[in-house]
Amino acid sequence: MTRKPPRAPHGRGALSNPDNRFSDFSSELTDDGWGSLEALAEETKPRTLLETDTARSVISFNQSPDVPFDRSINPYRGCEHGCVYCFARPSHAYLGLSPGLDFETRLFHKPDAPELLRKELSRPGYRCQPIALGINTDGWQPVERGTQLSRRLLEVLDEFSHPVSIVTKSALIERDIDILARMAERNLAQVMLSVTTLDADLARRMEPRASRPERRLQAISRLRDAGIPVGVLVAPVIPALTDHELEAILEQCHAAGAQTAGYVLLRLPHELKDLFSEWLETHAPLRAKHVWSRLAEMREGQTYQSGFGQRMTGSGLWADLLRKRFEIARRRLGFGRLPPLNSTRFKVPNTDGQMDLFSF
């Protein structure tokens, strides 16, 4: 059951707080005769709550053939950016919370993550491979300004000469250019900026607390100027809503300094389908039917495909056309690949005060 307030929450992507799929009960708003609905209508600016996430480890491993990494670190659960299309929203159900407003207002962080990371990297059996930082939810979302958790994780990775890849849609990444540039000199860092649309008004409604499109372009330029390998990820591509911008996004990001590019088709697992439908009917009602029709044509009649090889790019005529458009634009603009990250420099720092045998 969807618990939708009388007015859309200010500065948030989701319009409601639906019960998660594991709930044993459902709820809905009713008028109790005491003006409670009217009072709820005034609560149009829900506050962000940051809570502690206790964990014994910070590195998560995967065997997915769809992603170019086998391990990642997610400093936060939930994301204040509030992107209504975010594929990670349903993961909040594992915390007993809603993938709607809870996902962008009830956040969890791991304040001891840098210390835990240092311990994990120091284990005798650890074998170094690039770590993806902040993949499920953005490591440079607004609360990062205060916690500096992702920055402290970067400091540990720099200390161990451990390679890292980053995907973000936040210009806050510029704050950490000093660390990233130092790591890039050793082929230890690369960054992908996610750009969904160049339409500032659409971005404001669809991803309300993420950096504006022009700021992301500026961040690409500043990272490139600092010698940090950087690319663009057009994600997600939303059929009949943002897909017409594909070439323009690639062109502007290339002009800003992006060296490589990729894209991901809209993914709507679990509760996300209803959340996105609610957003479409509110913010783009005249395009809603077209979006669903085109998405179904790219997902074999479904709104979501979970199978490897299709969940990122879809299938069928329209998916093939999107893929060809991307490849033509990529070749025309001269996008290449980022230099491979170097895992051979990894070294556990000497903390006992003794010099290494060959450190002369």
Side-chain angles (χ1 to χ4, degrees):
M1 180 66 68
T2 297
R3 304 188 300 277
K4 185 175 182 179
R7 287 205 298 267
H10 179 75
R12 301 294 181 179
L15 302 180
S16 62
N17 220 29
D19 298 314
N20 72 70
R21 60 191 180 280
F22 302 125
S23 293
D24 293 328
F25 57 87
S26 62
S27 59
E28 62 179 305
L29 297 175
T30 59
D31 189 348
D32 59 5
W34 292 90
S36 53
L37 287 183
E38 289 77 6
L40 184 62
E42 299 303 319
E43 298 179 11
T44 57
K45 295 184 180 181
R47 293 187 305 153
T48 299
L49 300 177
L50 182 61
E51 303 175 51
T52 298
D53 181 10
T54 57
R56 295 181 180 179
S57 63
V58 292
I59 303 178
S60 299
F61 292 87
N62 76 84
Q63 296 180 336
S64 171
D66 284 339
V67 293
F69 56 86
D70 70 349
R71 64 200 67 185
S72 60
I73 299 174
N74 289 292
Y76 303 99
R77 294 197 192 190
C79 186
E80 199 177 7
H81 281 159
C83 304
V84 70
Y85 51 72
C86 181
F87 70 90
R89 281 183 177 273
S91 65
H92 240 43
Y94 295 113
L95 303 175
L97 297 173
S98 171
L101 290 170
D102 281 348
F103 178 79
E104 50 194 290
T105 61
R106 295 283 303 277
L107 310 181
F108 295 80
H109 75 311
K110 304 167 184 175
D112 60 345
E115 291 72 26
L116 291 172
L117 177 60
R118 185 173 281 105
K119 290 180 181 178
E120 291 182 59
L121 298 184
S122 299
R123 290 173 181 165
Y126 182 78
R127 297 294 179 265
C128 178
Q129 289 295 328
I131 283 178
L133 179 56
I135 296 300
N136 200 42
T137 55
D138 204 312
W140 281 262
Q141 58 180 286
V143 293
E144 167 67 15
R145 295 183 183 278
T147 67
Q148 298 197 26
L149 187 53
S150 292
R151 179 177 175 85
R152 290 189 287 128
L153 286 166
L154 280 180
E155 290 173 341
V156 174
L157 294 171
D158 182 26
E159 179 184 351
F160 281 74
S161 292
H162 196 296
V164 63
S165 63
I166 294 167
V167 176
T168 181
K169 50 170 53 82
S170 175
L172 180 58
I173 192 71
E174 296 172 358
R175 178 201 63 186
D176 300 324
I177 281 178
D178 57 333
I179 302 176
L180 292 170
R182 188 165 62 241
M183 295 182 72
E185 290 178 351
R186 294 168 283 161
N187 292 329
L188 297 176
Q190 56 185 222
V191 180
M192 296 289 285
L193 264 292
S194 174
V195 180
T196 314
T197 177
L198 298 173
D199 184 332
D201 181 62
L202 178 59
R204 177 184 58 79
R205 290 178 284 130
M206 190 165 58
E207 38 193 34
R209 299 197 177 199
S211 296
R212 301 186 309 276
E214 61 269 27
R215 282 293 288 119
R216 294 181 222 181
L217 293 173
Q218 189 176 59
I220 289 174
S221 293
R222 291 179 176 175
L223 289 167
R224 181 68 184 276
D225 289 346
I228 301 165
V230 60
V232 57
L233 188 61
V234 187
V237 175
I238 305 176
L241 185 65
T242 67
D243 62 333
H244 66 283
E245 296 188 71
L246 178 64
E247 288 84 358
I249 292 173
L250 293 174
E251 288 169 4
Q252 292 204 29
C253 288
H254 183 267
Q259 299 161 273
T260 193
Y263 78 97
V264 178
L265 182 63
L266 177 67
R267 300 165 55 192
L268 298 175
H270 302 299
E271 300 95 333
L272 190 52
K273 174 185 175 182
D274 292 336
L275 282 167
F276 187 69
S277 177
E278 187 175 71
W279 182 90
L280 270 179
E281 292 295 339
T282 300
H283 292 289
L286 299 181
R287 295 194 181 191
K289 289 184 178 180
H290 194 185
V291 170
W292 289 121
S293 174
R294 185 57 52 80
L295 184 62
E297 292 180 282
M298 302 171 82
R299 294 289 190 191
E300 297 184 353
Q302 308 295 317
T303 55
Y304 177 62
Q305 293 170 300
S306 60
F308 294 139
Q310 293 184 331
R311 60 177 182 164
M312 298 295 190
T313 57
S315 60
L317 177 63
W318 288 105
D320 289 343
L321 178 59
L322 180 65
R323 188 178 301 110
K324 290 177 180 178
R325 286 174 54 198
F326 172 79
E327 286 299 329
I328 290 171
R330 184 185 65 81
R331 289 195 299 268
R332 173 172 57 84
L333 294 168
F335 280 114
R337 296 182 180 276
L338 296 183
L341 292 170
N342 189 345
S343 297
T344 64
R345 291 180 175 269
F346 174 76
K347 185 178 182 181
V348 177
N350 188 339
T351 59
D352 59 12
Q354 297 186 17
M355 296 181 63
D356 291 338
L357 180 62
F358 299 104
S359 60
F360 55 85

